[in-house]
Amino acid sequence: MHPAFQNASSAVPITFATKSTWDTVSATLPAAARRFAAANAFTAKPGQYLALPAEDGSLAHVVFGIEDTSSEWRDLFRPGQLPGLLPAGTYSFTNQPHDTRLAALAFALGSYRFNRYRKNDVPGARLVPPDGLDMVELTRMADAAALARDLINTPANDMGPDELAQAAQALAEKFGAAYSCIIGDDLLKQNFPLIHAVGMASTRAPRLIDITWGDASHPKVTLVGKGVCFDTGGLDLKPSSGMLIMKKDMGGAANVLALAQMIMDAKLKVRLRVLIPAVENSVAGNAFRPLDIFPSRKGVNVEIGNTDAEGRLVLADALALADEEKPDLLIDLGTLTGAARVALGPDLPPFYTNDETLAADVARHARTENDPLWRMPLWMPYDSWLDSKTANLNNAPGGAFAGSITCALFLKRFVESATSWLHVDIYGWTPSAKPARPEGGECQAARAIYKLLSERYG
């Protein structure tokens, strides 16, 4: 069970209230508690918290405000604020928030702290699990989120391609999965020229991480995660403001590993494969240049329109390899385009697929898991924008329009044989803290996709 949860015979009660229910809720409290709440101007607005004392001054009760059921929008992770508000101790819910399962998960997610380099006070509040919840499943999700967050939050000096490979290998060993890794110039020998091109300027060799797990007779599910451990932009150098959080550019790989951990821990009936092209996009005399042309694993020659559009290049070779196996479901995740952030912001990653059933299932699980995703179109009239005058296609066509869509269309060129394909353009980062989502690296899309896979292959 997750450390945020604790079985106990006694606990301080937490009561949820909304502005419209506060009068009713307060009527159930002792008179002294009602007077204390009034004196503190407690009105149960969302996120408002009040600790009610007993006669001896000890903590007797907690009341916490959440959105009204009639509100246009309700943050189902609102209870994730509680670990940062409550003093150390054991607590329990006395009534139901809007979604008790998500509230309990939010409590665990809100307890996360990144402590590798500086001691941060880990919340001492513990929650007695509400009745009827699958705590194994909630712990599985919270642990996976912590894995993704830890990997993303680790700076690039300690999370380069080799360290990312070590993390993947440790995960593979934990679940008895097969692990292999193609490193450096061996990428050229084994026909992964785009991965090599992006990573060759770094002193830390590029590599392709490959994990396989599960019964070979089960449906093939392949996950591909962008593992750019730091992105300078290459010779199309990013400004300092754009480079500041580029340690997160391996967020696709981190979330793929989090998703793989959940799949393997739950023993889903799939033959899982995980592919992570792990590179550092650096500046050096041998860095790849604008208008260079490189072959790809698929045999398509790619002209470099912009060296800062490197993520789609490394994913292209990995997707081509994945596609050769004709998987039943091929999923890629990557922190790919600023255009996705302009369109949908940091909290709402777009996803792309031509499989209507898959699209509906993704959207449904994104809603039920409070793991937001929004479908965007693979708009084929824009496919011609990828044309090159000197090669088969250009990785970054000129112009400021539809950047996330053209990235998806670029990747689509490398997927032909998979039965279904899903592409998710995540951000992998929470810019400012929100309930259950501390500032920093974030697990995005993994929980929704895991629940989809659980439904299909559980």
Side-chain angles (χ1 to χ4, degrees), residues 117-357:
Y117 301 96
R118 187 183 77 173
K119 182 179 179 181
N120 291 300
D121 291 333
V122 177
R126 301 290 180 264
L127 179 68
V128 176
D131 292 339
L133 296 185
D134 185 345
M135 299 311 297
V136 172
E137 182 82 334
L138 291 185
T139 296
R140 182 178 294 133
M141 290 183 170
D143 286 346
L147 171 64
R149 289 169 171 179
D150 281 348
L151 291 172
I152 297 170
N153 284 330
T154 302
N157 60 311
D158 286 331
M159 187 52 64
D162 182 51
E163 290 83 1
L164 182 57
Q166 290 176 35
Q169 185 174 11
L171 183 66
E173 291 174 352
K174 179 179 179 180
F175 292 100
Y179 170 88
S180 63
C181 192
I182 304 169
I183 303 173
D185 290 343
D186 284 345
L187 290 165
L188 294 176
K189 296 175 184 176
Q190 298 191 46
N191 193 24
F192 298 99
L194 292 178
I195 298 174
H196 184 272
V198 173
M200 64 186 177
S202 174
T203 57
R204 302 194 280 184
R207 60 204 67 209
L208 177 62
I209 299 161
D210 192 344
I211 296 171
T212 55
W213 172 90
D215 189 327
S217 67
H218 287 159
K220 294 178 182 177
V221 174
T222 301
L223 312 177
V224 181
K226 174 186 169 183
V228 178
C229 295
F230 193 83
D231 182 20
T232 64
L235 293 179
D236 288 308
L237 195 68
K238 293 179 182 289
S240 59
S241 59
M243 213 183 297
L244 188 60
I245 57 171
M246 280 300 101
K247 68 176 184 178
K248 80 169 186 65
D249 215 22
M250 38 65 70
N255 278 279
V256 157
L257 290 175
L259 175 54
Q261 176 172 292
M262 289 188 280
I263 291 169
M264 293 187 289
D265 188 63
K267 298 180 175 60
L268 298 188
K269 295 178 178 64
V270 299
R271 199 305 304 266
L272 177 68
R273 190 177 192 185
V274 178
L275 296 170
I276 296 174
V279 303
E280 183 174 34
N281 187 19
S282 298
V283 177
N286 65 331
F288 73 122
R289 295 165 288 258
L291 299 190
D292 280 354
I293 297 175
F294 293 95
S296 67
R297 180 175 184 84
K298 191 175 176 63
V300 173
N301 291 322
V302 180
E303 181 183 29
I304 307 304
N306 192 309
T307 63
D308 196 19
E310 83 300 330
R312 66 198 70 180
L313 295 173
V314 299
L315 285 177
D317 270 355
L319 284 170
L321 172 64
D323 195 57
E324 291 165 12
E325 277 196 321
K326 301 181 180 179
D328 297 275
L329 180 56
L330 175 55
I331 301 170
D332 75 82
L333 274 69
T335 53
L336 284 155
T337 69
R341 279 39 305 156
V342 171
L344 298 175
D347 301 341
L348 185 59
F351 73 91
Y352 299 82
T353 182
N354 278 331
D355 184 329
E356 296 300 321
T357 300

